[in-house]
Amino acid sequence: MSNEFSHVNAAGEANMVDVSSKQPTVREARAEGYVRMSATTLAKIIEGNHHKGDVFAVARIAGIQAAKQTSSLIPLCHPLMLSKVAVDFAAEPEHNRVRIESYCKLTGQTGVEMEALTACSVAALTLFDMCKAVDPAMVLEGIRVLEKVGGKTGHWQATDSASGAAS
């Protein structure tokens, strides 16, 4: 039986992939996501007068902490020794949203895409949590891997589905 999903064994059961025979290489991944909100909520964040304080600072720490906890949240992920986690925010008033970008890096035997996605997702959830009292209609959207570097498959980069151009 050919097995195209590495987290499923020959019997069709979920299992953790054995990466012990892989050579450690530098692995990197970037992910992005958006939190769409009202113009008023975004203005409060940008102007720094949100009643809960520095929303981006709290969401950044939450995203970093989440990346470090990915293997506790996603059942078949390996615990990883991350050497770098970054979470950045860009307000996009023209779209009434905040763009979140995460970056994870390590030297290891498996990739860090899940850690980058988790960092981005939890940062978005934290923005929502901090702003939900004033804007419960916010929408989390577009969470995806932008790029991964290293490992057997080498370099991969997302393309913009609208234009086909690299992001």
Side-chain angles (χ1 to χ4, degrees), residues 36-47 93 96-97 135:
R36 192 166 21 100
M37 61 191 65
S38 72
T40 304
T41 302
L42 185 56
K44 286 179 184 292
I45 294 170
I46 292 169
E47 294 162 9
N96 290 330
R97 68 185 185 184
D135 192 357

Side-chain angles (χ1 to χ4, degrees), residues 1-2 4 15 17 20 22 27 30 35 40 54 64 79 86 89 94-95 103 110 116 122 142 154 159 161:
M1 170 177 159
S2 174
E4 70 179 85
N15 70 335
V17 174
S20 60
K22 290 183 171 184
R27 314 285 186 121
R30 289 185 310 115
V35 180
T40 304
D54 189 343
I64 292 168
F89 303 91
E94 67 278 10
H95 299 294
Y103 170 79
T110 190
V122 171
T159 57
S161 59

Side-chain angles (χ1 to χ4, degrees), residues 31 62-71 73-74 77 102 112-125 143:
I64 292 168
Q65 285 296 105
K68 297 184 328 183
Q69 295 298 315
T70 300
S71 67
L73 299 168
I74 310 296
C77 282
S102 64
V112 291
E113 297 91 337
M114 293 308 300
E115 287 71 15
L117 285 166
T118 301
C120 194
S121 298
V122 171
L125 288 167
I143 296 172

Side-chain angles (χ1 to χ4, degrees), residues 8-29:
V8 179
N9 67 17
E13 303 162 332
N15 70 335
M16 187 178 213
V17 174
D18 181 0
V19 297
S20 60
S21 64
K22 290 183 171 184
Q23 290 300 311
T25 61
V26 174
R27 314 285 186 121
E28 300 173 65

